[in-house]
């Protein structure tokens, strides 16, 4: 596995691969890799000649009071995991390589960036869209892989790609979970033992709503109410938002619809966790 930290070296290699007729599959991450990340790499490995993974904790997507400084990092562990997953190139630039000056251009995906997660984290999706666009220009992938765990992020990226005619296919893969249902996340490492136990309630609430839908209870208000009752049983867990929304545009649904996504964000102590379930 080749490790690259320079943008020009990465671009040159991407050009060479493309000239040789190789397809490039790309998995952008912030590192501290877990099974969720690895599932994206495995899928990329199946469908692409060359698999490129980036690890970059992107400062522009963190708010001033957020966890940029304490975001977990594990260079050596991540390198070994990528190697074992059959990754061809690990691109891990320093912040000053990606942002040598005050970033002069930002990409804002209108509307969708300001609701739900975007309403709680102003500027977050502007940072995400901008860094993903930069990474696409550096890695030049044919296909890029994202996790459904960050559902709204997937909608933002797809809209950016469509709106700017980027020549990249976006594939979204299912959320990988711990045995008790908690969505894998690098931020789970922040959780104290009692918080970790309580965190399983998030998925319990999502699956309870899914069961209700299957049994014929589909009104969003009833689903939210049932979920809130479950979540309230955990005193240390505070709900940031809980919404039943349309799967394409994330507008809140007031009546039952054929397809819906339930999105949730909670706080457990100092840790913020998000999750979602797609009910089609
Ligand atoms: P991150 O390192 O958290 O920025 O995530 C990098 C990529 O991995 C994103 O596309 C995430 O949606 C995806 N991802 C994170 N957690 C999971 C998970 N539990 N299952 C599947 N994909 C995930």
């Amino acid at each position: 596995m080749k490790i690259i930290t320079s943008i020009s070296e990465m671009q040159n290699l991407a050009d060479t691969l493309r000239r040789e007729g190789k397809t490039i599959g790309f998995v952008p991450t912030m590192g501290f890799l877990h099974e969720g990340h690895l599932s994206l790499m495995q899928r990329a490995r199946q469908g692409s000649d060359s698999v490129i993974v980036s690890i970059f904790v992107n400062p522009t997507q963190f708010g001033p009071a957020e966890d940029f400084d304490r975001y977990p990092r594990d260079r050596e562990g991540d390198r070994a995991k990528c190697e074992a997953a059959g990754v061809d190139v690990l691109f891990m630039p320093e912040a000053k390589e990606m942002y040598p000056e005050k970033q002069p251009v930002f990409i804002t995906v209108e509307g969708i960036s300001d609701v739900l997660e975007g309403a709680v984290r102003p500027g977050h999706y502007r940072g995400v869209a901008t860094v993903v666009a930069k990474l696409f220009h550096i890695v030049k992938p044919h296909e890029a892989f994202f996790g459904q765990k960050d559902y709204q992020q997937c909608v933002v990226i797809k809209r950016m790609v469509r709106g700017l005619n980027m020549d990249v296919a976006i594939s979204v893969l299912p959320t990988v979970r711990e045995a008790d249902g908690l969505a894998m996340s690098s931020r789970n490492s922040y959780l104290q033992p009692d918080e970790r136990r309580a965190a399983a309630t998030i998925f319990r609430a999502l699956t309870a709503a899914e069961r209700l839908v299957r049994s014929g209870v589909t009104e969003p208000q009833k689903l939210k109410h049932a979920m809130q009752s479950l979540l309230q049983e955990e005193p240390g867990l505070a709900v940031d938002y809980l919404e039943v929304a349309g799967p394409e545009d994330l507008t809140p649904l007031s009546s039952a619809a054929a397809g819906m996504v339930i999105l949730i964000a909670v706080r457990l102590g100092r840790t913020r966790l998000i999750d979602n379930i797609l009910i089609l």
Side-chain angles (χ1 to χ4, degrees):
M1 184 178 73
K2 203 171 166 57
I3 296 184
I4 295 182
T5 57
S6 132
I7 290 173
S8 58
E9 191 182 343
M10 185 67 253
Q11 285 173 321
N12 288 337
L13 178 58
D15 286 342
T16 305
L17 290 168
R18 280 183 165 257
R19 253 197 319 273
E20 290 170 350
K22 303 249 170 68
T23 56
I24 300 175
F26 177 42
V27 181
T29 82
M30 298 205 300
F32 210 71
L33 302 174
H34 51 66
E35 292 291 330
H37 298 116
L38 297 182
S39 72
L40 305 183
M41 295 177 202
Q42 279 149 15
R43 173 64 82 83
R45 187 65 284 167
Q46 287 162 16
S48 328
D49 297 323
S50 250
V51 176
I52 303 182
V53 170
S54 66
I55 296 181
F56 181 62
V57 183
N58 172 39
T60 65
Q61 71 190 66
F62 287 79
E66 292 183 359
D67 57 345
F68 175 71
D69 288 328
R70 65 183 188 114
Y71 196 84
R73 291 161 167 90
D74 178 14
R75 277 178 81 91
E76 275 317 298
D78 286 350
R79 196 193 53 71
K81 284 175 189 163
C82 287
E83 184 115 50
V87 169
D88 297 298
V89 181
L90 177 53
F91 177 57
M92 37 192 336
E94 295 289 337
K96 61 179 182 304
E97 178 76 359
M98 290 294 280
Y99 298 107
E101 55 180 344
K102 190 168 175 293
Q103 177 64 18
V105 183
F106 282 92
I107 293 178
T108 302
V109 180
E110 303 282 339
I112 191 87
S113 298
D114 300 324
V115 302
L116 298 167
E117 194 66 5
V120 183
R121 305 183 66 188
H124 172 63
Y125 288 119
R126 171 182 181 261
V128 169
T130 303
V131 80
V132 170
K134 282 166 78 80
L135 288 167
F136 283 178
H137 285 121
I138 296 165
V139 172
K140 312 186 188 195
H142 296 84
E143 186 173 6
F145 300 84
F146 294 85
Q148 189 199 312
K149 152 83 176 18
D150 299 280
Y151 190 92
Q152 190 173 358
Q153 171 170 283
C154 293
V155 177
V156 167
I157 300 296
K158 283 185 191 165
R159 286 195 178 192
M160 172 183 79
V161 164
R162 197 170 61 234
L164 291 175
N165 309 96
M166 293 179 170
D167 195 10
V168 187
I170 303 299
S171 293
V172 176
L173 300 188
T175 304
V176 177
R177 299 179 179 281
E178 301 285 357
D180 64 359
L182 175 65
M184 289 195 182
S185 165
S186 308
R187 289 191 168 99
N188 291 349
S189 63
Y190 296 151
L191 297 170
Q192 301 298 319
D194 56 328
E195 294 169 343
R196 171 64 191 81
R197 188 194 45 74
T201 313
I202 303 166
F203 187 61
R204 273 206 294 279
L206 290 170
T207 46
E210 186 182 36
R211 274 197 305 278
L212 279 175
V213 174
R214 303 264 174 260
S215 72
V217 181
T218 53
E219 295 95 306
Q221 277 313 327
K222 286 190 182 161
L223 299 177
K224 283 200 265 188
H225 188 77
M227 293 181 71
Q228 265 146 3
S229 311
L230 263 172
L231 294 159
Q232 270 161 17
E233 288 171 19
E234 288 296 343
L237 185 154
V239 177
D240 254 6
Y241 60 80
L242 169 59
E243 199 51 81
V244 181
E248 302 295 333
D249 59 6
L250 300 190
T251 38
L253 296 173
S254 53
S255 60
M260 44 194 171
V261 58
I262 306 179
L263 302 120
I264 184 168
V266 310
R267 287 175 199 270
L268 280 157
R270 288 212 295 155
T271 306
R272 242 183 124 258
L273 300 176
I274 60 171
D275 203 348
N276 66 82
I277 197 165
L278 197 53
I279 302 173
L280 292 172

